[in-house]
């Protein structure tokens, strides 16, 4: 259902407002470059600083622009279950193909609380759910056992795993079954993640290098890990440089260097330091993009 390279889309701004024309152009560009799906309004889409209305507008515009050509997995997470229900139901209403739901951050629910949260979201709408497990940001780590229990629900179909622990892929194959979709949430380890049983990546760097990452993911899916590794080697300096500061800021700067969108972000995030800009420029050159 969902596999390959799927950019976690940035949300372009101009003068503090949504830049919807650029957003639509990015959708066209990504599809033309071979991206296998689009993921608007995740953390990389600056969901924490979008209003509810802006969040829903971005999802709806991306669904319209994609027009069924590639799957759209809408960010719909919140640490407030009622708010997440709103976003899940809206995504289903406007025709998204799935939703990405992060584990509730800051509240620190128990594993039982995670099951209750995701069950409520599962039951609120007829749309597939991808769990987003990123303990480094949410402070909560969903255990493979908890994920296995949730995987029994018919519309909880996979995970975006950003733990950085490649053994998790094997653990989750045991608890969730081999058909549960495992997508990497970490560009630097996405190649190894696929070798362990993953089927793709929801990627930050794919905002900048969608064609290369599409080719890498296709090589992995075809079992050609040598070819995939050659591409990973080209992109590794860029992966690392983009994440020196918050990844979405690095991605927007790199995109601005390629004349794709403005590097504007919203507070409390700021533009990059000059030192980080130089490293991203070097990464773009190493990848043959600049």
């Amino acid at each position: 259902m969902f596999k390959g390279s799927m950019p976690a889309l940035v949300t372009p701004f101009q003068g503090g407002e949504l830049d919807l024309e650029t957003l639509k152009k990015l959708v066209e560009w990504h599809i033309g470059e071979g991206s296998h799906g689009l993921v608007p309004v995740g953390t990389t889409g600056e969901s924490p600083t979008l209003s509810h209305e802006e969040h829903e507008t971005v999802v709806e515009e991306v669904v319209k622009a994609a027009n069924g050509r590639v799957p759209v997995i809408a960010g719909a997470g919140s640490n407030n279950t009622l708010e997440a229900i709103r976003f899940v139901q809206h995504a289903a209403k406007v025709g998204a193909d799935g939703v990405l739901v992060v584990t509730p951050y800051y509240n620190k629910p128990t594993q039982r609380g995670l099951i209750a949260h995701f069950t409520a979201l599962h039951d609120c709408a007829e749309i597939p759910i991808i769990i987003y497990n990123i303990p480094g940001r949410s402070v909560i780590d969903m255990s493979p056992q908890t994920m296995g229990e949730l995987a029994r629900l018919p519309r909880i179909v996979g995970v975006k795993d950003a733990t950085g622990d490649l053994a998790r892929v094997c653990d989750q194959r045991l608890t969730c079954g081999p058909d549960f979709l495992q997508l990497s949430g970490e560009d630097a380890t996405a190649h190894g993640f696929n070798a362990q049983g993953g089927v793709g990546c929801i990627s930050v760097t794919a905002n900048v290098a969608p064609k290369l990452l599409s080719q890498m993911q296709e090589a992995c899916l075809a079992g050609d890990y040598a070819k995939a590794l050659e591409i990973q080697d080209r992109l590794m300096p860029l992966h690392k440089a983009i994440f020196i500061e918050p990844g979405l800021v690095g991605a927007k700067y790199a995109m601005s260097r390629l004349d794709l969108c403005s590097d504007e972000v919203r507070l409390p995030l700021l533009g990059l330091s000059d030192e980080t800009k130089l490293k991203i420029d070097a990464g773009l050159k190493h990848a043959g993009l600049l």
Side-chain angles (χ1 to χ4, degrees):
M1 185 186 302
F2 306 124
K3 63 182 180 180
S5 178
M6 293 174 280
L9 289 176
V10 300
T11 300
F13 300 129
Q14 196 63 251
E17 302 297 325
L18 297 180
D19 184 355
L20 296 179
E21 289 307 309
T22 296
L23 178 66
K24 294 171 191 175
K25 290 176 183 175
L26 289 176
V27 170
E28 290 300 322
W29 181 65
H30 280 297
I31 292 173
E33 293 286 285
S35 293
H36 302 102
L38 300 169
V39 185
V41 206
T43 312
T44 304
E46 294 180 74
S47 56
T49 52
L50 296 184
S51 70
H52 291 174
E53 292 73 22
E54 287 175 324
H55 179 125
E56 291 170 353
T57 295
V58 170
V59 170
E60 191 163 358
E61 291 296 334
V62 171
V63 169
K64 285 179 182 176
N67 196 28
R69 291 174 290 171
V70 296
V72 174
I73 304 172
S78 174
N79 65 340
N80 175 339
T81 303
L82 291 176
E83 184 174 85
I85 285 172
R86 168 181 171 161
F87 290 145
V88 170
Q89 290 178 335
H90 174 265
K93 179 182 175 182
V94 301
D97 300 282
V99 289
L100 179 68
V101 178
V102 70
T103 50
Y105 39 86
Y106 195 81
N107 298 1
K108 296 185 73 173
T110 62
Q111 297 297 305
R112 289 191 306 114
L114 291 175
I115 289 170
H117 177 76
F118 279 91
T119 300
L121 300 181
H122 171 274
D123 293 345
C124 82
E126 297 286 327
I127 189 169
I129 294 173
I130 301 288
I131 296 164
Y132 184 13
N133 193 30
I134 181 165
R137 283 182 180 266
S138 67
V139 190
I140 288 299
D141 185 2
M142 182 182 287
S143 72
Q145 292 71 29
T146 295
M147 198 172 294
E149 187 165 339
L150 288 169
R152 297 174 188 161
L153 299 174
R155 289 185 296 283
I156 295 187
V157 300
V159 60
K160 176 186 176 183
D161 188 306
T163 63
D165 178 3
L166 296 183
R168 278 293 179 95
V169 192
C170 299
D171 290 339
Q172 287 158 185
R173 282 173 64 82
L174 292 174
T175 59
C176 302
D179 294 330
F180 190 71
L181 302 173
Q182 297 204 58
L183 304 165
S184 172
E186 187 184 66
D187 282 300
T189 57
H191 176 274
F193 188 96
N194 286 341
Q196 295 281 76
V199 294
C201 182
I202 296 177
S203 165
V204 175
T205 308
N207 280 288
V208 184
K211 183 174 287 186
L212 285 171
L213 282 162
S214 170
Q215 291 170 346
M216 192 198 86
Q217 289 295 333
E218 287 173 1
C220 288
L221 289 167
D224 190 348
Y225 283 93
K227 179 181 177 181
L229 188 57
E230 289 177 8
I231 299 170
Q232 179 77 338
D233 287 344
R234 282 181 64 182
L235 289 171
M236 196 64 186
L238 184 59
H239 291 326
K240 293 179 72 175
I242 281 175
F243 283 97
I244 292 171
E245 297 183 41
L248 74 91
V249 187
K252 277 190 168 179
Y253 169 74
M255 294 171 77
S256 75
R257 295 287 283 133
L258 302 178
D259 296 321
L260 294 168
C261 72
S262 163
D263 64 354
E264 184 178 333
V265 295
R266 284 182 174 172
L267 288 171
L269 298 179
L270 294 171
L272 298 180
S273 67
D274 289 341
E275 182 180 1
T276 300
K277 288 178 179 179
L278 289 174
K279 290 179 180 178
I280 290 178
D281 287 347
L284 288 168
K285 289 172 184 174
H286 187 271
L289 298 171
L290 191 66

